[in-house]
Amino acid sequence: MRKHIIDEIRKSKYKIDIAVAWISDREISNELKRASKCNVMIRVLMLDDSNNKKNRYHLGDDIEIKYAKRESAQGGNFMHNKFSVFDSERIITGSYNWSFSARTHDENIVLIFDTRIAQDYEQKFNELWLSKY
């Protein structure tokens, strides 16, 4: 699964939007950093978590990051999305967080190659990005 994520990052030419709980996989972080240095605009929405803040420096300064507040299930607003949109045409979604520990978990991803569906995911991402996060 990590290989598919890295492949999609490498194929991206101008934009990547990412909504995941965690990004701590160093290889994925390095690919995102490389892409941002090649003028790919990258926005990341991830949990307001000490591990994410600690690992933030691996992403570099060119990547826009917003942190979603952790709230209880009773309080709602727990950002539990796990999807990314590449160049407004490709989507990866599923249970896989972009974390080092996800390599050993029973996780899944789905790759979708459909611009119409990508627009729906982009709309959802923009709603999350502009929300109170």
Side-chain angles (χ1 to χ4, degrees):
M1 286 175 273
R2 190 174 90 257
K3 178 192 176 311
H4 290 293
I5 293 168
I6 289 171
D7 287 347
E8 291 307 315
I9 294 168
R10 287 178 178 165
K11 287 194 291 189
S12 296
K13 296 190 182 344
Y14 68 93
K15 181 170 85 165
I16 304 171
D17 288 332
I18 304 161
V20 293
W22 292 277
I23 298 181
S24 62
D25 186 306
R26 191 72 54 89
E27 290 179 57
I28 292 174
S29 296
N30 287 341
E31 286 301 323
L32 289 169
K33 188 175 185 178
R34 184 203 56 75
S36 72
K37 297 285 185 212
C38 293
N39 297 319
V40 175
M41 184 188 84
I42 302 172
R43 297 186 297 173
V44 175
L45 178 63
M46 58 185 164
L47 286 178
D48 188 355
D49 177 87
S50 61
N51 287 326
N52 279 334
K53 289 183 176 179
K54 180 179 76 176
N55 291 314
R56 194 265 179 264
Y57 73 94
H58 293 296
L59 294 171
D61 296 327
D62 298 327
I63 295 174
E64 290 184 75
I65 295 175
K66 282 193 178 183
Y67 295 101
K69 300 292 180 212
R70 285 189 109 153
E71 296 185 20
S72 70
Q74 296 81 10
N77 296 326
F78 184 77
M79 201 286 294
H80 205 262
N81 289 288
K82 294 175 189 75
F83 70 87
S84 49
V85 183
F86 302 88
D87 291 337
S88 302
E89 60 188 22
R90 304 177 314 278
I91 304 116
I92 291 179
T93 189
S95 65
Y96 194 87
N97 274 302
W98 295 14
S99 63
F100 182 78
S101 61
R103 295 179 186 192
T104 60
H105 294 171
D106 189 11
E107 306 271 0
N108 69 74
I109 62 170
V110 176
L111 285 83
I112 303 168
F113 303 94
D114 185 307
T115 55
R116 185 186 53 78
I117 295 172
Q119 289 174 349
D120 293 340
Y121 272 89
E122 279 188 324
Q123 181 178 343
K124 177 62 176 176
F125 183 88
N126 287 328
E127 289 170 10
L128 291 167
W129 189 259
L130 296 173
S131 71
K132 67 179 187 168
Y133 300 128

